[in-house]
Amino acid sequence: MASPSSVLASLDQRHREGDDEEAAHRMESLRLSADLLPADALLKAAVYLKDQVVDATWRPGGGVGSCVVDPTVYTGLMGTAFACLRSYELTGSAEDLLLCSEIADTCAAVANSSPRSCRHVTFLCGRAGVAALGAVAANYRGDRQRCDFFLGLFHEVAEERALPVGPEEGGFGMPYELLYGRAGFLWAALFLNKHVGPGTVSDDLLMPVVEAVLAGGRAGASHNIECPLMYRWHGTRYWGAAHGLAGILQVLLHFRLSDEDAEDVKETLRYMVRNRFPRSGNYPTSEGNPRDRLVQWSHGAGGVAATLCKAAEVRAEDVKRLAPPARSQLLSQSYEY
């Protein structure tokens, strides 16, 4: 990702060359943003907002507390736990880590007593998120017994028989996207492997799910020879991170894929870049949708940008793994997503 200084330099050059009449205005806006939002001020504001969320959703008198109805990360109390975990990672606050653990314990109990409240298998909207966050918080606290408890819950989720079943075997109707589908389960596993340790969730368990996601994408793209992978959510071919290509591809980019699989992921990204809106640079919410409206993470450029950042990171890692002669040759080639 380009640094603010490099973006400013680029805009400065474009302004001097006269090829972007809005460059001066945008450059000044960036400078104002950099001056007004130093890192320590942003952190203080984020911690303050986290405290407000905790007061409103967890502390006695402020929110639902032990009467929590929604135990998920995306729309429920586990979102508060996730905010506390992120705050702990930045500040080292033991109080935030304890809050995360306490909320995870409550949400696990709710999910167990009311399965419909957390029936999906994903990180954001399902049981995998409760289990993954609970395990990570316990691991950071050094509570091995509690960590193992939550890992056990996660592996119960992983036993869902529809996860590794591809379209050629019927698919069992499980979607592929991030909020409610297989990509969301894989994201939870990646979260565990990052924060608890590599191999916490084994490749033997995950790669059949990855292969099912790839197979589903190829089946969904059979109508379009220019795009190797495509997925439907309730009949619509979404492009965004929540239900579509951006979210699914970002997850796939975290795995060591075969050359053929990796090329299909890259070519799908190229297809998206080629077919973005030419005037604004934004991305359609779904295949063939002409409306240029939404720019947030779930639908639009926000989610696609995160995926492209991951693609650039993977590209850099691929180059580093090459022997020096091959590395030089690859770096000399023109390559873009």
Side-chain angles (χ1 to χ4, degrees), residues 37-56:
L37 297 173
D40 59 339
L42 281 173
L43 179 57
K44 288 178 182 178
V47 170
Y48 175 73
L49 181 59
K50 179 268 302 176
D51 289 339
Q52 287 186 307
V53 170
V54 171
D55 288 341

Side-chain angles (χ1 to χ4, degrees), residues 160-218:
E160 169 60 58
R161 67 192 187 100
L163 278 167
V165 176
E168 70 283 353
E169 301 165 276
F172 288 132
M174 179 175 281
Y176 297 96
E177 42 81 86
L178 196 61
L179 255 63
Y180 302 107
R182 303 173 212 224
F185 167 79
L186 292 170
W187 186 259
L190 291 167
F191 186 81
L192 280 170
N193 284 346
K194 176 181 179 180
H195 292 280
V196 178
T200 300
V201 187
S202 70
D203 283 350
D204 289 343
L205 180 64
L206 298 180
M207 291 313 296
V209 184
V210 171
E211 290 163 7
V213 172
L214 288 162
R218 291 183 178 115

Side-chain angles (χ1 to χ4, degrees), residues 1-236:
M1 183 183 297
S3 66
S5 59
S6 65
V7 173
L8 286 169
S10 174
L11 287 172
D12 238 337
Q13 179 67 21
R14 290 167 64 185
H15 178 53
R16 286 195 299 271
E17 294 172 355
D19 64 348
D20 187 347
E21 60 186 23
E22 297 181 10
H25 174 71
R26 293 166 61 194
M27 183 169 59
E28 186 61 26
S29 297
L30 277 172
R31 286 200 177 102
L32 285 172
S33 298
D35 291 340
L36 293 174
L37 297 173
D40 59 339
L42 281 173
L43 179 57
K44 288 178 182 178
V47 170
Y48 175 73
L49 181 59
K50 179 268 302 176
D51 289 339
Q52 287 186 307
V53 170
V54 171
D55 288 341
T57 61
W58 177 248
R59 290 192 172 119
V64 292
S66 61
C67 299
V68 58
V69 175
D70 183 350
T72 69
V73 175
Y74 194 54
T75 57
L77 191 57
M78 281 306 290
T80 303
F82 192 42
C84 290
L85 181 68
R86 288 303 192 204
S87 180
Y88 162 75
E89 289 178 315
L90 289 170
T91 67
S93 168
E95 180 184 2
D96 284 335
L97 186 58
L98 179 60
L99 279 170
C100 181
S101 292
E102 291 174 345
I103 295 170
D105 287 343
T106 296
C107 289
V110 171
N112 182 62
S113 62
S114 179
R116 281 193 60 80
S117 68
C118 201
R119 66 185 184 277
H120 299 290
V121 299
T122 64
F123 181 84
L124 289 173
C125 296
R127 291 168 286 151
V130 178
L133 273 170
V136 168
N139 182 63
Y140 282 148
R141 295 183 67 216
D143 188 341
R144 189 68 243 176
Q145 183 176 2
R146 201 64 185 160
C147 182
D148 288 343
F149 166 78
F150 280 108
L151 289 177
L153 293 182
F154 183 85
H155 281 91
E156 288 178 12
V157 176
E159 291 174 0
E160 169 60 58
R161 67 192 187 100
L163 278 167
V165 176
E168 70 283 353
E169 301 165 276
F172 288 132
M174 179 175 281
Y176 297 96
E177 42 81 86
L178 196 61
L179 255 63
Y180 302 107
R182 303 173 212 224
F185 167 79
L186 292 170
W187 186 259
L190 291 167
F191 186 81
L192 280 170
N193 284 346
K194 176 181 179 180
H195 292 280
V196 178
T200 300
V201 187
S202 70
D203 283 350
D204 289 343
L205 180 64
L206 298 180
M207 291 313 296
V209 184
V210 171
E211 290 163 7
V213 172
L214 288 162
R218 291 183 178 115
S222 58
H223 69 289
N224 187 345
I225 60 173
E226 295 183 21
C227 184
L229 303 173
M230 187 64 70
Y231 303 86
R232 290 178 184 262
W233 168 250
H234 288 277
T236 300

Side-chain angles (χ1 to χ4, degrees), residues 223-224 227 229-246 271-272 275-277 282-296 298-301 304:
H223 69 289
N224 187 345
C227 184
L229 303 173
M230 187 64 70
Y231 303 86
R232 290 178 184 262
W233 168 250
H234 288 277
T236 300
R237 300 182 182 98
Y238 284 107
W239 278 33
H243 299 301
L245 285 172
Y271 172 81
M272 295 173 72
N275 290 279
R276 67 191 186 276
F277 294 116
N282 191 23
Y283 288 77
T285 59
S286 58
E287 180 80 352
N289 191 328
R291 291 178 295 177
D292 185 359
R293 295 188 304 116
L294 304 179
V295 297
Q296 64 264 39
S298 54
H299 299 287
V304 179

